[in-house]
Amino acid sequence: DQQVKQNSPSLSVQEGRISILNCDYTNSMFDYFLWYKKYPAEGPTFLISISSIKDKNEDGRFTVFLNKSAKHLSLHIVPSQPGDSAVYFCAKGDGSSNTGKLIFGQGTTLQVKP
Amino acid sequence: NAGVTQTPKFRILKIGQSMTLQCTQDMNHNYMYWYRQDPGMGLKLIYYSVGAGITDKGEVPNGYNVSRSTTEDFPLRLELAAPSQTSVYFCASTQRMGDQPQHFGDGTRLSIL
């Protein structure tokens, strides 16, 4: 069973507009969620996270929203910049576990056009 | 600030050969992980370690082995390479569990021919 799903393989937006990346998950009460960005030939880099007790977390141009009733997570990038073009992965961790293991979605490729 | 270092960056193996993918981190992190990423897919956990001397299987451990004799190093061993193991391999580490992010190396691209 796929615990974390990113149903959109790709997204294209114009520079300066909002990018919205989505992620659905199966439920666990103590989960926490992270977004990673990945450029070609590099490893994923951490972008932003949110714990299950919050609905929103903001860091500069990046905001993550958590809708627990819908089991849905979204990342908003405003305004989008060409340097944001990358693959974005959402990931889920189990806060009740002592292993720190993460489950990743399939990724969404974002292209920001100048 | 080296972070997580993986070697080699690229490797081509013949079916049946063996090799070790190296991973070292200089952040004194207790938790380390090995993932593989296949085209169009997310990262799948192969093995992980919560400290020196402690390792456990992840989601896709078959065909791989690991060891953790020091805090810094977490090598991944392929004993009998198979074409299904063609993938990009990422090593990651974190200081502790919870919402602390994992830090990733730049990966090893492995082709089995």
Side-chain angles (χ1 to χ4, degrees):
Chain A
D1 66 334
Q2 199 162 0
Q3 297 189 36
V4 179
K5 283 187 179 181
Q6 294 176 255
N7 292 316
S8 298
S10 62
L11 174 68
S12 182
V13 301
Q14 207 66 33
E15 180 179 6
R17 308 296 289 269
I18 185 172
S19 295
I20 300 177
L21 297 100
N22 295 301
C23 184
D24 297 307
Y25 64 93
T26 56
N27 189 52
S28 177
M29 187 179 298
F30 302 106
D31 283 350
Y32 55 95
F33 302 90
L34 307 92
W35 283 95
Y36 281 84
K37 179 167 77 172
K38 185 184 179 305
Y39 293 119
E42 294 184 10
T45 55
F46 170 71
L47 201 54
I48 192 169
S49 65
I50 188 168
S51 69
S52 58
I53 63 173
K54 293 186 175 181
D55 298 323
K56 175 183 173 181
N57 190 26
E58 195 170 353
D59 183 2
R61 296 186 297 115
F62 302 93
T63 303
V64 57
F65 294 93
L66 179 60
N67 184 334
K68 290 181 279 292
S69 61
K71 300 177 187 176
H72 181 80
L73 185 72
S74 64
L75 173 68
H76 293 209
I77 306 174
V78 183
S80 301
Q81 300 173 354
D84 295 330
S85 298
V87 180
Y88 289 78
F89 292 99
C90 67
K92 184 182 84 158
D94 183 357
S96 64
S97 163
N98 65 349
T99 64
K101 293 190 293 183
L102 297 177
I103 299 172
F104 285 82
Q106 307 95 309
T108 297
T109 301
L110 172 66
Q111 182 185 27
V112 180
K113 297 179 179 178
Chain B
N1 288 343
V4 178
T5 302
Q6 292 185 239
T7 57
K9 293 190 183 303
F10 306 96
R11 184 75 183 267
I12 298 175
L13 283 183
K14 293 182 178 179
I15 295 171
Q17 286 186 319
S18 61
M19 78 163 293
T20 299
L21 283 67
Q22 301 292 344
C23 175
T24 186
Q25 50 92 8
D26 62 358
M27 298 173 282
N28 202 33
H29 286 172
N30 288 322
Y31 297 81
M32 296 188 74
Y33 310 86
W34 273 106
Y35 296 90
R36 59 177 287 173
Q37 185 193 9
D38 300 324
M41 303 294 288
L43 283 74
K44 302 283 188 185
L45 183 65
I46 305 171
Y47 270 94
Y48 68 97
S49 169
V50 300
I54 306 170
T55 63
D56 206 349
K57 296 177 180 179
E59 187 181 359
V60 289
N62 291 343
Y64 306 94
N65 277 300
V66 293
S67 60
R68 183 95 183 272
S69 57
T70 67
T71 299
E72 295 79 18
D73 300 308
F74 190 39
L76 178 71
R77 179 83 176 163
L78 282 73
E79 290 294 350
L80 290 171
S84 61
Q85 293 176 304
T86 293
S87 190
V88 182
Y89 292 83
F90 291 101
C91 179
S93 72
T94 187
Q95 174 58 25
R96 60 179 175 89
M97 65 173 183
D99 62 352
Q100 294 299 304
Q102 293 181 13
H103 300 263
F104 284 81
D106 284 337
T108 294
R109 184 175 296 274
L110 183 62
S111 295
I112 316 293
L113 303 176

